[in-house]
Amino acid sequence: LISSPTRPGLHIIHIAAEMAPVAKVGGLGDVVSGLSKSLQKRGHFVEVVLPKYDCMQYDRIRDLRALDVMVESYFAGRLFKNKIWVGTVEGLPVYLIEPHHPENFFWRGQFYGEHDDFKRFSFFSRAALELLLQAGKKPDIIHCHDWQTAFVAPLYWDLYAPKGLNSARICFTCHNFEYQGTAPASELASCGLDVHQLNRPDRMQDNSAHDRVNPVKGGIVFSNIVTTVSPTYAQEVRTAEGGRGLHSTLNSHSKKFIGILNGIDTDAWNPATDTFLKVQYTANDLQGKAENKEAMRRLLQLSSADIKKPLVGCITRLVPQKGVHLIRHAIYRTLELGGQFILLGSSPVPHIQREFEGIANHFQNHDHIRLILKYDEFLSHSIYAASDMFIIPSIFEPCGLTQMIAMRFGSIPIARKTGGLNDSVFDIDDDTIPLEFRNGFTFLTPDEQGVNNALERAFNLYKNNPDIWKQFVQKDMNIDFSWDSSAAHYEELYSKSVARARAAIQT
Ligand code: ADP
């Protein structure tokens, strides 16, 4: 196995279920690679451990090779061999774990949504720690993410620190408290955790079903640092309405809990260098943006009769959290207001997917509306570049990346004031916000009137004050949404936690 070089910075290992661009379902994938790259740039040694999914984008992994040694890990009373692959993704060393388990945990053609996800990811969490132990790693920080790898926290303290993998502090980031991965308590035993010890109200027992365990709760209770992805969301989840049953747990552990706004990967999302685009452009040369809009219209066979017609974009997972009924409403309202609308989205929820297929078919040959119901990296970049406005009417939004990406591409966000949207989109007409921070249109009440109000104000400004609009576009494109300041924040949390641990050992 590959050993870790000694360096002055921290040694940080992320254990995660996603990493962009090789295994991305949503924002989690972007965060794992964006944060890691930024920490690496700041002089830290960062590695990532992922499952080896069959459906990864293998063409984006450099120098992929299998190690000679297998790592054996425990599950459900037996030891299973894991083949370990190493490679480089976005300049970061990555380990991929391929379990030799008869149930082919990561050979399913999709990342999540399998009937045995609890099993798949508790297996992976344990195998990842086993890899670190057997490789002789001495990380300062093990950073796990969401319920899929939250198992790492109790596994580390209960099993792996006693075995000698004891150099690390554990950081757990919850990217969305809606997904908690609860399961019957007995299922926890498979990965070797002690159900009797852990199925207790102050440990992993689910707060609303006492015969179930909750991995996210385990992540909160057993980690040294707990973060979520924006300051406003961190406040929201500490209330009974927003906490999805975990508000009391978060309040009991509030000292170690903090919200840090995600950044975006400004190399991957850069209109000046983006090779997916028809034409690259910058804030000082918006002709290129206009050409992308025209190219998009041609590609999707939308009307180009009026080049000034505003184009509204929306790129999203179509799940209730994202305000799907408001997205549907925004499509029709945009049409009434004389604009064009492009939706790129797909839904894991069959009835929502069907509903949007119905709308897509209805507008199949329409001059001004196009719905593309799939996941498509090329189209996403092209739509950010082509659109004038970008709508995000979320019911709740832990952080949200699309508003930041949209701004970087000069598309003005129209967003509901919730979670990370509230921390990154500031209304152009809000006199309580200093002028230099105002960058979009917001609404508070998640209903059709709220959407109408923000959309209409956007259309009015676009049509009546093109010069002011252009200034907003340029301003938004120049906002620094890079990971720099957020990574500095994580670095500070990590360092303080490591220092506290060292001080405790010395006393
Ligand atoms: P979430 O993590 O809840 O899905 P975020 O706003 O944090 O939402 O992140 C969404 C990310 O996924 C963005 O990078 C966005 O561009 C991308 N995305 C969402 N849907 C699609 C799609 N259908 N095709 C391509 N990219 C998508």
Side-chain angles (χ1 to χ4, degrees):
L1 291 176
I2 290 180
S3 66
S4 323
T6 34
R7 297 180 187 216
L10 295 170
H11 181 186
I12 301 151
I13 301 181
H14 290 273
I15 301 178
E18 292 183 38
M19 179 185 191
V22 292
K24 170 172 157 176
V25 176
L28 166 63
D30 289 311
V31 173
V32 170
S33 38
L35 174 60
S36 300
K37 274 166 76 172
S38 189
L39 287 166
Q40 188 187 52
K41 258 193 236 152
R42 301 176 76 84
H44 303 293
F45 177 45
V46 188
E47 299 177 290
V48 183
V49 186
L50 300 169
K52 187 172 185 288
Y53 301 101
D54 55 349
C55 50
M56 291 182 112
Q57 290 219 3
Y58 284 99
D59 57 332
R60 306 289 287 269
I61 310 177
R62 272 197 17 234
D63 304 328
L64 183 64
R65 67 190 170 86
L67 298 182
D68 295 334
V69 263
M70 292 270 191
V71 166
E72 277 195 328
S73 65
Y74 171 92
F75 202 72
R78 282 180 53 196
L79 288 175
F80 294 93
K81 287 194 167 59
N82 296 278
K83 192 165 181 175
I84 309 297
W85 298 74
V86 292
T88 307
V89 175
E90 303 277 289
L92 292 156
V94 170
Y95 293 85
L96 305 177
I97 296 183
E98 180 190 348
H100 285 189
H101 186 284
E103 290 171 54
N104 293 329
F105 287 140
F106 302 111
W107 216 257
R108 308 282 181 85
Q110 61 175 358
F111 299 109
Y112 311 130
E114 296 287 300
H115 70 283
D116 56 351
D117 278 359
F118 189 95
K119 242 177 162 180
R120 298 167 70 219
F121 290 102
S122 56
F123 179 99
F124 168 66
S125 297
R126 175 137 193 183
L129 286 172
E130 195 63 50
L131 166 67
L132 305 191
L133 176 72
Q134 293 189 25
K137 301 259 177 205
K138 296 274 174 232
D140 299 299
I141 296 288
I142 296 176
H143 194 150
C144 50
H145 298 265
D146 278 352
W147 77 261
Q148 288 87 353
T149 59
F151 301 99
V152 163
L155 280 169
Y156 180 82
W157 294 113
D158 284 358
L159 299 174
Y160 282 86
K163 283 179 196 243
L165 177 68
N166 55 8
S167 57
R169 306 291 278 173
I170 307 294
C171 180
F172 169 60
T173 298
C174 185
H175 298 253
N176 190 337
F177 282 92
E178 177 153 83
Y179 305 107
Q180 298 180 5
T182 65
S186 58
E187 288 197 27
L188 196 59
S190 297
C191 69
L193 286 170
D194 184 333
V195 178
H196 187 66
Q197 284 298 318
L198 291 173
N199 188 26
R200 291 172 26 171
D202 59 338
R203 297 191 181 162
M204 286 185 79
Q205 185 176 79
D206 190 57
N207 292 339
S208 47
H210 295 169
D211 53 349
R212 294 177 77 80
V213 284
N214 184 326
V216 170
K217 185 171 167 184
I220 298 166
V221 171
F222 289 95
S223 297
N224 303 101
I225 308 165
V226 181
T227 74
T228 189
V229 289
S230 70
T232 297
Y233 188 58
Q235 280 174 5
E236 289 168 356
V237 293
R238 288 179 58 180
T239 65
E241 308 79 62
R244 310 272 153 172
L246 284 174
H247 58 286
S248 55
T249 309
L250 288 166
N251 283 320
S252 324
H253 292 272
S254 61
K255 275 212 188 94
K256 62 182 181 186
F257 178 54
I258 189 170
I260 300 176
L261 191 71
N262 287 334
I264 55 171
D265 182 337
T266 45
D267 299 330
W269 299 109
N270 183 359
T273 55
D274 194 322
T275 50
F276 284 121
L277 304 190
K278 177 88 179 159
V279 187
Q280 284 87 37
Y281 63 99
T282 64
N284 298 325
D285 159 33
L286 290 174
Q287 180 53 31
K289 182 163 175 67
E291 287 174 35
N292 281 297
K293 181 172 171 180
E294 192 42 39
M296 190 82 241
R297 283 167 158 168
R298 268 202 306 276
L299 180 73
L300 298 181
Q301 295 175 324
L302 292 172
S303 163
S304 297
D306 175 3
I307 51 167
K308 289 262 156 51
K309 225 180 217 312
L311 177 60
V312 182
C314 180
I315 301 173
T316 186
R317 291 184 296 123
L318 290 165
V319 291
Q321 168 199 339
K322 303 289 181 183
V324 276
H325 58 297
L326 298 178
I327 293 172
R328 187 185 57 209
H329 173 74
I331 296 172
Y332 290 95
R333 190 72 192 123
T334 297
L335 195 55
E336 286 167 7
L337 291 171
Q340 295 184 314
F341 199 107
I342 301 176
L343 169 77
L344 175 64
S346 62
S347 186
V349 186
H351 77 91
I352 299 179
Q353 179 76 16
R354 274 199 303 277
E355 180 190 343
F356 276 80
E357 276 165 6
I359 304 172
N361 288 338
H362 177 73
F363 287 116
Q364 207 170 22
N365 299 312
H366 197 279
D367 277 347
H368 303 302
I369 310 284
R370 203 61 80 238
L371 277 67
I372 307 140
L373 301 178
K374 61 173 177 181
Y375 184 94
D376 190 307
E377 198 70 21
F378 158 76
L379 278 175
S380 77
H381 286 247
S382 311
I383 294 168
Y384 286 118
S387 56
D388 301 296
M389 305 166 195
F390 196 90
I391 192 149
I392 315 141
S394 301
I395 306 304
F396 73 94
E397 191 61 76
C399 176
L401 299 173
T402 60
Q403 76 278 18
M404 300 189 228
I405 303 171
M407 284 190 257
R408 185 142 167 88
F409 282 74
S411 182
I412 306 284
I414 300 170
R416 158 121 204 281
K417 271 167 89 66
T418 180
L421 295 169
N422 186 51
D423 297 324
S424 56
V425 185
F426 306 103
D427 199 288
I428 280 170
D429 296 320
D430 186 346
D431 293 337
T432 65
I433 306 271
L435 206 56
E436 71 258 36
F437 294 123
R438 298 188 212 167
N439 56 11
F441 296 88
T442 64
F443 59 99
L444 186 59
T445 317
D447 60 13
E448 295 185 356
Q449 226 177 332
V451 172
N452 289 350
N453 179 285
L455 204 56
E456 281 158 27
R457 285 187 297 122
F459 269 66
N460 281 337
L461 189 71
Y462 179 90
K463 285 188 171 157
N464 301 331
N465 283 306
D467 291 339
I468 297 186
W469 184 271
K470 185 178 167 193
Q471 284 168 23
F472 269 113
V473 168
Q474 291 177 320
K475 180 164 109 181
D476 281 11
M477 289 183 73
N478 287 323
I479 299 174
D480 179 7
F481 285 117
S482 73
W483 269 99
D484 291 351
S485 69
S486 311
H489 214 136
Y490 274 101
E491 179 183 81
E492 190 189 331
L493 288 178
Y494 293 159
S495 302
K496 280 190 178 154
S497 183
V498 168
R500 264 197 307 276
R502 291 195 182 140
I505 292 170
Q506 276 156 15
T507 53

